[in-house]
Amino acid sequence: MQLLTTQHLSTTTKTPLARDPGLHVAIISDGNGRWATSRGLPRSAGHRAGAESARRIIEAAPRLGIHTLTLFALSSANWKRPAAEVTAILRLLHEYLLIETSHCVEEGVRLSVIGRRDRLPATLRQAIADSEAATANGTRLHLRLAIDYSAREAIYHAACRFYKVTELSPESFSNVLAEVLRGGSTEVDLLIRTGGEQRLSDFLLWECAFAEFVFLPKRWPDFGAADLASAIEEFGRRERTRGALPDAIAG
Ligand code: IPE
Ligand code: MG
């Protein structure tokens, strides 16, 4: 994985939103199965192509002003799929961690996994822990892979920890949620979903409270750096009021 230098970053990131500390972009990378089926390939081939797409997007992210990138790799709801498909996805994730960890270290990418780990194979759990430890000092990009992730479950567990506390601020709740999730919990600026569906599917419910959404028909294996750049341009044209008045009216 060849990431571009910071020097390159300063000459090419002209988007008004590529300012410090950078954007948190979250992606629901959907459409792998349909991509494969439409080519007469098994769904697992779609997931492999999807992993390649993820590599390209991770490489492009820092120069587009993204400081945190959260990818929905496996939803807790995906356990309902045939075991063979889930196993193929878990194998790909393991392979990805083994191959990419050293690249992440070289490129300043800090990798975290959010979601529950108790249902993952022990070898994958170990690979996750190793990868997180090896990349802990990365500062160019925080890559968060959501694996066996359910936002509703994370919120529920965070709430359970505090069910007797009466004065809990939203900030401190966010901190608890971050502990439950691991890998931190930060507001999402832009949520992108590929594959044509227009829903959140239990992804980052708390963190997307004020996120901008971009839904694209393109399937995830066909999504490239140029698509990410145009989604960020689209985001740059949106006015984020967070419930206040738009600047033009507020004066
Ligand atoms: C998204 O692609 C990847 C995962 C859920 C792991 P899908 O597997 O949902 O692909 P479609 O939606 O069936 O095309
Ligand atoms: Mg899908």
Side-chain angles (χ1 to χ4, degrees), residues 30-31 34 81 193:
D30 197 14
R34 281 163 284 164
R81 294 187 181 194
R193 181 170 187 144

Side-chain angles (χ1 to χ4, degrees), residues 2 25 27 33 78 97 107-108 113 142 173 214 251:
Q2 182 60 53
V25 174
I27 305 183
N78 291 148
L97 293 173
E107 305 299 343
V113 169
H142 187 191
F173 185 80
V214 169

